[in-house]
Amino acid sequence: MTAKLHFFLSVTLGLPLWAGKTSFEPFDRWYEVFIGEVKVGYSHDRMYAEGEQIKSSNELVMEIKRVGQTLEITNFLETREKANGELIDFATEQKMAGIPMLKKGRVEGNRLIVFEKQFLTGKESAYAFDRDAGMSWGLRRRMLENGFREKGKTYQLKTYSPDMGMKKPVFVNVACKGKKRIQVGKATIDAYEVEMELKSSYGSILSKSWLDDQCVAVRSEMNMGGMNILMIEVPKKKARQMEEETHELLLGSLVPLNAAVSLERASNVFVMESIRGNWDVKLFEGRTQRVEKINRRSVRVVVTREDSSQATPDPIDKTAFLKPSVYLDSSDLLIQKLARKAQGQAQAPREIAENLTSFVHRYVASKSYAVGFASASEVARTKEGDCTEHSVLLAALGRALEIPSRVVTGLVYADRFEGKRKVMVYHMWTQFYIDDRWVNYDSALGYANCPADRIAFTVSSMEAEDVIESILPVMELINNARVRIESSE
């Protein structure tokens, strides 16, 4: 969620005025951030000229609850760009529960050099640089040149976003709706309505903003995974004043079921139906999950219990699933030590995987929802976290012992969860590549042989940018789907 919201804020808030391409007006704006009707934080957007450069910064601070535990999320983005909108460099830091994720980038000739670091692990990558794509000032300058007041005007822009991956820019479709009367706090004002659609390999994000005569957003909104996100411009003091009651995120995203899921049966059949609009989501399909279209709004998901006798090979290129990454930092010395300890006397890959699963289930002793999204080496040292921390540590231990691994994101059945009965809950688990096929292991729940109690949305090798691809589709699905049990076999 935070990646999308941070990008949305940086794109739609505070569009500065560039008059005739010769003058520049700095701005400094503050916004309240709401989920539904509950305030969860604030955003501070600033842009100013320094010599021949345009500098921008965006700060986002939120507080949410996950099963009663408060989680603070902060994002900070700085960019330096030329007056013509071309990127010079950027730096961003995201913290979830105090765990920092750093990303910096700079343009060198025709290349964009990006450095990423979480906890102890850093990685530098080089990509082809697209000079037609703007970032902070670059995107906004192009929007001002194209115009925003005229009703019916449409155009497409390209932008770079650290939150959406820097391998290549993403497209932004802009549609101008003309002047509208809107409510901002207690005041009724005229503003120019602009709709934006961000199109990337992860899907589309729709947002709507209302801009004043200086082309600065006074109100912006979007719907993300069923959650209504609203930003309203206010004075600094009001923006920074937080609500006494923190918004509960996870419990509000539980998906109720019509019946209990059998953990003993060979397979369970789920029906998933879109609450709003057509079903246009591509769910993961593999040996233990098959997806069948029912109609334009619903699909049938047949989930099968793992069967070691199934010998259908699933050939892959193992390279991406063995090398260390920012999150699965399997080269860390403590990870290497723990892997050997957890392996014990086991030699066969399947037996090793079972030992690793049992080890992580015991080792992560503090089952805490107050952790953000920690790297494996961080979990190895703190011994705390929820399903995400269990899954990344297990995957990293496997890679340390030369077993290819990836993580799976989706929903898992819970007979009881924080006072709720018969629900599907957001979950992450691990897959190891054993005997030429991917096999599910769940160290959070302690399953070395996973039952047919889960629906997989995405799988990821956990390359730094693939983390976004793994998480964001879940946020789109989790509050826009009804799920029921059709049958068990």
Side-chain angles (χ1 to χ4, degrees):
M1 182 189 73
T2 56
K4 278 189 178 180
L5 182 54
H6 189 222
F7 173 81
F8 172 62
L9 286 164
S10 65
V11 169
T12 60
L13 298 182
L15 300 174
L17 178 65
W18 183 276
K21 304 181 186 178
T22 58
S23 63
F24 174 78
E25 286 190 19
F27 71 90
D28 193 327
R29 301 290 179 114
W30 292 81
Y31 301 84
E32 290 182 303
V33 181
F34 296 84
I35 294 180
E37 297 181 355
V38 180
K39 181 176 178 179
V40 295
Y42 65 86
S43 176
H44 179 206
D45 209 39
R46 183 170 176 246
M47 188 172 288
Y48 59 98
E50 189 173 276
E52 299 296 318
Q53 298 177 359
I54 305 298
K55 292 189 174 182
S56 308
S57 66
N58 176 267
E59 179 186 25
L60 170 65
V61 177
M62 295 196 303
E63 285 186 358
I64 59 175
K65 281 185 179 178
R66 300 175 72 196
V67 196
Q69 295 177 305
T70 299
L71 175 66
E72 184 176 270
I73 301 168
T74 64
N75 273 293
F76 186 73
L77 169 67
E78 287 185 314
T79 60
R80 286 196 307 151
E81 295 162 282
K82 299 177 182 178
N84 66 2
E86 187 174 309
L87 178 65
I88 299 172
D89 56 34
F90 75 91
T92 181
E93 179 181 84
Q94 180 184 93
K95 288 184 179 180
M96 296 182 68
I99 300 174
M101 175 68 183
L102 307 175
K103 185 178 289 189
K104 297 181 180 181
R106 64 189 186 278
V107 176
E108 294 185 355
N110 294 320
R111 298 192 308 162
L112 178 61
I113 311 299
V114 179
F115 175 76
E116 300 168 273
K117 182 178 181 181
Q118 175 153 347
F119 194 49
L120 300 175
T121 304
K123 176 186 176 183
E124 187 169 275
S125 304
Y127 309 115
F129 178 59
D130 188 337
R131 297 183 185 279
D132 293 329
M135 197 164 174
S136 298
W137 163 239
L139 176 67
R140 292 157 176 164
R141 184 180 190 274
R142 287 168 174 79
M143 186 171 176
L144 286 160
E145 290 174 340
N146 281 277
F148 63 93
R149 295 180 174 87
E150 182 183 345
K151 183 178 180 179
K153 177 182 272 296
T154 62
Y155 48 90
Q156 187 176 76
L157 303 173
K158 290 191 290 185
T159 183
Y160 277 108
S161 166
D163 292 324
M164 300 301 291
M166 299 295 291
K167 290 180 180 178
K168 57 183 178 181
V170 294
F171 290 97
V172 181
N173 292 329
V174 180
C176 303
K177 302 297 181 179
K179 183 178 286 189
K180 302 290 177 68
R181 297 282 288 176
I182 65 167
Q183 194 76 21
V184 178
K186 296 181 180 180
T188 301
I189 65 171
D190 290 325
Y192 298 96
E193 184 178 308
V194 176
E195 292 182 354
M196 293 185 182
E197 179 186 18
L198 172 69
K199 297 182 69 67
S200 74
S201 59
Y202 314 127
S204 295
I205 307 170
L206 299 175
S207 67
K208 186 182 295 186
S209 293
W210 290 267
L211 314 175
D212 62 16
D213 285 327
Q214 290 188 323
C215 201
V216 177
V218 294
R219 180 185 176 99
S220 300
E221 64 183 39
M222 71 182 298
N223 185 282
M224 186 178 66
M227 294 183 295
N228 293 313
I229 311 296
L230 172 66
M231 279 73 69
I232 301 176
E233 184 189 354
V234 294
K236 176 181 177 179
K237 183 177 180 180
K238 182 173 175 57
R240 292 177 63 91
Q241 182 179 349
M242 297 296 291
E243 300 288 341
E244 292 184 7
E245 183 63 29
T246 304
H247 182 75
E248 173 61 65
L249 179 65
L250 187 56
L251 293 184
S253 63
L254 301 181
V255 181
L257 283 177
N258 59 315
V261 173
S262 171
L263 304 185
E264 305 300 327
R265 296 183 182 273
S267 66
N268 288 301
V269 181
F270 300 88
V271 172
M272 301 188 71
E273 180 185 9
S274 172
I275 296 174
R276 297 175 303 278
N278 294 337
W279 185 273
D280 58 1
V281 178
K282 183 175 175 59
L283 293 176
F284 167 76
E285 293 192 72
R287 287 187 313 106
T288 58
Q289 180 166 298
R290 187 175 75 252
V291 181
E292 304 167 352
K293 183 177 180 180
I294 298 175
N295 53 46
R296 62 186 180 86
R297 298 196 63 173
S298 59
V299 295
R300 181 178 293 106
V301 185
V302 182
V303 181
T304 306
R305 189 184 186 97
E306 192 70 52
D307 184 354
S308 60
S309 66
Q310 295 173 321
T312 304
D314 183 17
I316 63 166
D317 179 359
K318 298 180 182 179
T319 305
F321 305 102
L322 280 172
K323 64 182 181 181
S325 67
V326 173
Y327 286 98
L328 304 187
D329 41 358
S330 52
S331 59
D332 178 78
L333 292 179
L334 181 55
I335 294 291
Q336 295 277 331
K337 178 181 178 180
L338 292 178
R340 292 191 295 270
K341 178 180 178 180
Q343 177 183 0
Q345 300 300 312
Q347 295 300 318
R350 188 174 291 273
E351 186 180 354
I352 295 173
E354 292 175 357
N355 285 359
L356 295 182
T357 302
S358 298
F359 174 82
V360 172
H361 183 67
R362 298 189 308 269
Y363 186 81
V364 184
S366 176
K367 313 297 184 182
S368 172
Y369 289 97
V371 180
F373 198 105
S375 65
S377 59
E378 173 82 357
V379 182
R381 286 159 174 81
T382 64
K383 302 182 182 181
E384 66 175 334
D386 58 15
C387 61
T388 58
E389 283 67 46
H390 284 78
S391 62
V392 297
L393 178 57
L394 180 57
L397 294 179
R399 292 190 186 188
L401 297 175
E402 297 298 316
I403 302 177
S405 66
R406 64 187 185 187
V407 301
V408 189
T409 307
L411 297 173
V412 70
Y413 173 72
D415 187 59
R416 294 177 183 271
F417 189 84
E418 297 296 320
K420 306 292 184 180
R421 293 290 308 276
K422 300 174 184 176
V423 293
M424 300 294 285
V425 183
Y426 167 83
H427 197 51
M428 185 177 283
W429 62 97
T430 308
Q431 287 185 344
F432 287 131
Y433 190 71
I434 297 173
D435 298 332
D436 297 324
R437 58 186 183 271
W438 289 107
V439 183
N440 290 311
Y441 292 88
D442 191 333
S443 54
L445 298 179
Y447 292 146
N449 186 8
C450 292
D453 64 342
R454 59 201 58 214
I455 301 173
F457 289 177
T458 63
V459 298
S460 172
S461 67
M462 295 299 284
E463 283 290 316
E465 292 186 344
D466 288 342
V467 175
I468 301 170
E469 186 175 5
S470 173
I471 294 175
L472 295 190
V474 178
M475 299 310 302
E476 293 299 319
L477 271 172
I478 203 165
N479 281 327
N480 189 35
R482 282 187 285 263
V483 184
R484 62 181 173 86
I485 290 290
E486 184 176 76
S487 66
S488 297
E489 299 178 1

